[in-house]
Amino acid sequence: MERVRIGKVVQMDADSVIVEVIDNSYVDKVNFSIGISVVPVVINKLISVKLLNSKEVVLKINKIYDKNHFINRDDFKVHNSKIFLEATPLGIYDSYLYKFDEGINNYPLINTEVYSISSETKKSIINISSTYKLQVGNSFGNDDLVNEANPDILLGKHLGVFGNTGSGKSCTVTSIIQGLKRRLYTSSGTDVSIKPKIIIFDSNDEYAQAFNDTEFRYKKISKSKLKLSHTKLSDSEYFKFFGASQGVQAPLLKQALTKLRPNGFFSLQDIINMINDLISTNSRELDRNGNKTRSNFSFNQWTNWTNTMINRIERIIENNELKLIIDDHAVNTIDQIFDDNSNEIFLIDSDFDREELDIVMFLFAKLVYKKYQTDGPNIILVLEEAHRYINDYDNKDYKLGNYYIEKIAREGRKFGISLVISSQRPSELSKTVISQCNSYIIHKLTNKHDIEIVSRFLSYNSREYVNSLTSLERQHALICGEAFGFPDITRIFNASPTPNSNDPEIVKNWLED
């Protein structure tokens, strides 16, 4: 799109510029739908103002209004309709160096002319400098411009994908992953062929459809095939796992584990049996003649002190599905994924209730962290519906799942573990995990708490787009963060095939035969 003279600066302060539009036809056709490229004056469009040093200030349109709206209408008086824009300065663009710098240290003069920015200028602004580039989607208002991301940052330094139900999160995650085979290039434009290793916690059985009959090789891991042996836990992790108190329970549990470990594999029931044996031993002593005598504390006292811990272990044993996952000596799932060179994507069925998921995520994340701490290829861990298991509000009742996910968020990148966090409720997520994401793709959000949380972690220029989040169309999102050249509203490229995440067709399902 060529540059169009829009108007002139009529008012200015530190964080906003008022522009009088010279031709009302520029806004007569204003359409607030994302993607209109023929209208130079529309919300979120970028415009520019020349400075005396031949550089230009880039601004984002935030508001469009008619001057007559603010005066009392007089039907007998002819009013000259005047349209004004309110825009926020974002940075300085040097057209000689083709370089954009965020922040303002110089302001235009009153009556300076204002122009729309050309496609070439916007391309320079959103351009990234990196060895590899991953195409993500088309820029808002400029369908001929493609927004790209630095994949080493996007997927190497954790990515947050947020948005309401039905806004397109699952399709976005799928599009990003599919793009690794279809839209990944070197800086010189050469195709790149890679063999990724990606684990997706698929809580709604959505993703198999997205990779079926594609260039990706994937493997589904059902709950019955998931193996996460508890014997990999350390003493302190067992204390956390069983909620062992420090007075009596933790020391007794440690004694039991010390006796069991030399035998190799041991079951949860073996732990209970060993604790009971220790209680029996501790509740009696031998006198000088070798006869049994009562100790300082009775068997019942010891039992009462350990009841809460034993009950928790027994509840796990009684859950047959959970017991098969964590109380089995088979090769654990993480080792299987680590050694599997034939598949690239691993879909783990995570349709568990809240308490089960808390335990599964604790063991899974611990095993991933431990395995990749020593050796392993880079791995991407996609957490769908992440608010279900890294939830700050549930942290008191379900405190296991957060522990290692937060550890991976803080330290995982140096071991080659990357997170993609997808959630419809970012306000409920662990603040530690969100703060460790370096890049974000944010779809439509309408809950004020979700918008408030997201805005806390965004840069100044990204926050300028927050008010647009409530009105984004499906498949459109704000892309921002270190992986992208500049925050921008983007239409994410289509996923093909799509995940099985369509909205329910209730009436169709209710139709009579």
Side-chain angles (χ1 to χ4, degrees):
M1 184 179 72
E2 295 299 322
R3 287 168 62 91
V4 175
R5 180 170 170 262
I6 293 172
K8 63 180 180 178
V9 175
V10 294
Q11 182 179 318
M12 229 176 352
D13 58 36
D15 57 3
S16 69
V17 174
I18 305 299
V19 177
E20 180 183 348
V21 178
I22 58 169
D23 186 346
N24 290 353
S25 67
Y26 290 155
V27 291
D28 285 344
K29 299 179 290 182
V30 167
N31 187 324
F32 289 95
S33 298
I34 300 299
I36 300 299
S37 60
V38 295
V39 182
V41 177
V42 65
I43 299 297
N44 287 331
K45 277 279 193 176
L46 297 184
I47 55 179
S48 69
V49 185
K50 287 282 188 180
L51 297 173
L52 293 177
N53 58 8
S54 76
K55 297 179 182 179
E56 52 191 293
V57 178
V58 175
L59 310 99
K60 182 180 77 70
I61 299 174
N62 294 325
K63 188 185 296 184
I64 304 171
Y65 57 90
D66 186 335
K67 178 184 176 183
N68 289 338
H69 178 73
F70 300 99
I71 63 175
N72 294 325
R73 184 172 179 83
D74 185 346
D75 292 334
F76 299 98
K77 184 177 180 180
V78 177
H79 294 282
N80 293 321
S81 181
K82 289 188 176 182
I83 304 298
F84 291 86
L85 311 178
E86 184 177 312
T88 302
L90 301 179
I92 305 293
Y93 179 70
D94 189 326
S95 56
Y96 180 74
L97 298 176
Y98 302 104
K99 182 182 177 183
F100 175 78
D101 291 315
E102 296 185 32
I104 302 294
N105 55 13
N106 199 354
Y107 289 85
L109 301 175
I110 295 294
N111 290 326
T112 305
E113 293 184 337
V114 179
Y115 290 83
S116 65
I117 65 170
S118 65
S119 296
E120 290 73 22
T121 301
K122 187 165 185 180
K123 186 176 182 180
S124 297
I125 292 173
I126 66 176
N127 184 52
I128 60 170
S129 177
S130 61
T131 304
Y132 302 104
K133 298 185 179 186
L134 174 65
Q135 294 184 337
V136 173
N138 292 113
S139 174
F140 158 73
N142 297 84
D143 292 341
D144 57 329
L145 293 183
V146 174
N147 269 309
E148 298 171 321
N150 180 338
D152 289 327
I153 295 176
L154 186 73
L155 300 174
K157 291 189 175 182
H158 310 324
L159 167 66
V161 181
F162 307 131
N164 289 354
T165 299
S167 60
K169 295 186 305 299
S170 298
C171 286
T172 289
V173 172
T174 301
S175 176
I176 294 294
I177 294 174
Q178 290 175 344
L180 293 174
K181 295 264 190 180
R182 302 171 184 176
R183 301 186 301 274
L184 182 63
Y185 305 97
T186 64
S187 57
S188 60
T190 306
D191 290 0
V192 179
S193 178
I194 63 170
K195 186 178 181 182
K197 208 158 189 104
I198 302 170
I199 301 174
I200 302 177
F201 261 81
D202 192 2
S203 54
N204 297 315
D205 194 22
E206 295 179 345
Y207 283 93
Q209 175 177 297
F211 301 108
N212 197 29
D213 295 328
T214 67
E215 61 270 53
F216 289 89
R217 296 186 297 277
Y218 76 94
K219 180 179 181 180
K220 289 186 68 174
I221 301 175
S222 64
K223 289 192 285 188
S224 62
K225 299 294 185 182
L226 189 60
K227 302 299 176 187
L228 306 168
S229 174
H230 64 85
T231 58
K232 302 292 185 180
L233 297 176
S234 65
D235 286 352
S236 61
E237 290 164 345
Y238 270 112
F239 300 161
K240 185 182 291 290
F241 188 25
F242 297 142
S245 62
Q246 294 301 311
V248 172
Q249 295 177 359
L252 198 61
L253 177 57
K254 184 171 184 176
Q255 290 180 53
L257 295 171
T258 300
K259 288 181 175 292
L260 289 169
R261 282 201 174 98
N263 301 326
F265 176 79
F266 53 91
S267 68
L268 294 175
Q269 187 60 53
D270 289 336
I271 295 175
I272 293 178
N273 294 341
M274 183 58 71
I275 289 173
N276 287 331
D277 288 346
L278 290 170
I279 288 175
S280 181
T281 301
N282 291 343
S283 61
R284 64 179 186 269
E285 293 177 353
L286 300 179
D287 62 19
R288 68 183 63 184
N289 298 318
N291 298 318
K292 293 179 182 178
T293 184
R294 177 174 174 170
S295 69
N296 292 331
F297 305 107
S298 68
F299 183 87
N300 287 339
Q301 286 175 302
W302 279 101
T303 301
N304 288 335
W305 289 333
T306 57
N307 260 344
T308 54
M309 180 178 68
I310 296 296
N311 288 342
R312 178 166 173 77
I313 301 173
E314 287 177 341
R315 285 204 312 271
I316 297 172
I317 293 174
E318 290 166 2
N319 185 323
N320 290 328
E321 189 173 63
L322 196 57
K323 184 176 182 295
L324 288 173
I325 293 173
I326 72 173
D327 204 17
D328 195 315
H329 65 277
V331 177
N332 77 67
T333 299
I334 306 305
D335 287 336
Q336 292 175 332
I337 292 174
F338 184 89
D339 296 330
D340 190 335
N341 293 317
S342 59
N343 291 293
E344 300 163 314
I345 297 175
F346 302 86
L347 307 177
I348 296 180
D349 181 4
S350 55
D351 182 22
F352 296 97
D353 68 32
R354 187 64 184 87
E355 188 170 9
E356 293 170 340
L357 192 57
D358 191 46
I359 292 171
V360 168
M361 286 307 303
F362 177 66
L363 288 165
F364 183 90
K366 183 269 180 338
L367 292 173
V368 167
Y369 181 82
K370 196 69 177 177
K371 187 73 176 179
Y372 282 81
Q373 194 177 24
T374 53
D375 187 26
N378 282 70
I379 192 168
I380 298 170
L381 182 57
V382 179
L383 304 180
E384 265 286 338
E385 303 291 346
H387 53 276
R388 294 183 61 213
Y389 37 89
I390 46 175
N391 192 313
D392 262 358
Y393 288 103
D394 290 344
N395 202 24
K396 292 182 180 178
D397 299 319
Y398 307 103
K399 55 189 176 184
L400 292 174
N402 278 25
Y403 180 74
Y404 265 106
I405 296 295
E406 290 183 351
K407 199 172 182 67
I408 288 174
R410 289 191 302 266
E411 306 171 22
R413 65 188 68 174
K414 63 186 176 187
F415 304 125
I417 311 171
S418 305
L419 295 177
V420 175
I421 310 295
S422 176
S423 174
Q424 59 186 277
R425 294 308 308 271
S427 62
E428 297 181 4
L429 291 175
S430 160
K431 306 304 180 290
T432 299
V433 174
I434 296 183
S435 65
Q436 293 298 316
C437 292
N438 283 60
S439 305
Y440 302 90
I441 299 178
I442 308 170
H443 289 270
K444 181 176 181 177
L445 286 174
T446 53
N447 183 281
K448 67 176 183 179
H449 299 297
D450 294 328
I451 294 172
E452 286 171 2
I453 285 295
V454 164
S455 64
R456 290 182 195 176
F457 298 102
L458 300 182
S459 66
Y460 170 77
N461 282 342
S462 299
R463 285 198 294 271
E464 289 300 319
Y465 289 85
V466 165
N467 290 336
S468 303
L469 295 179
T470 58
S471 57
L472 290 178
E473 293 182 19
R474 183 184 176 90
Q475 199 175 346
H476 291 79
L478 168 63
I479 62 170
C480 53
E482 190 180 345
F484 302 102
F486 190 76
D488 196 17
I489 303 296
T490 301
R491 185 185 188 280
I492 307 298
F493 284 130
N494 293 339
S496 180
T498 61
N500 184 24
S501 58
N502 294 330
D503 295 330
E505 296 179 325
I506 293 179
V507 174
K508 181 179 179 180
N509 291 331
W510 284 349
L511 291 175
E512 295 183 5
D513 293 338

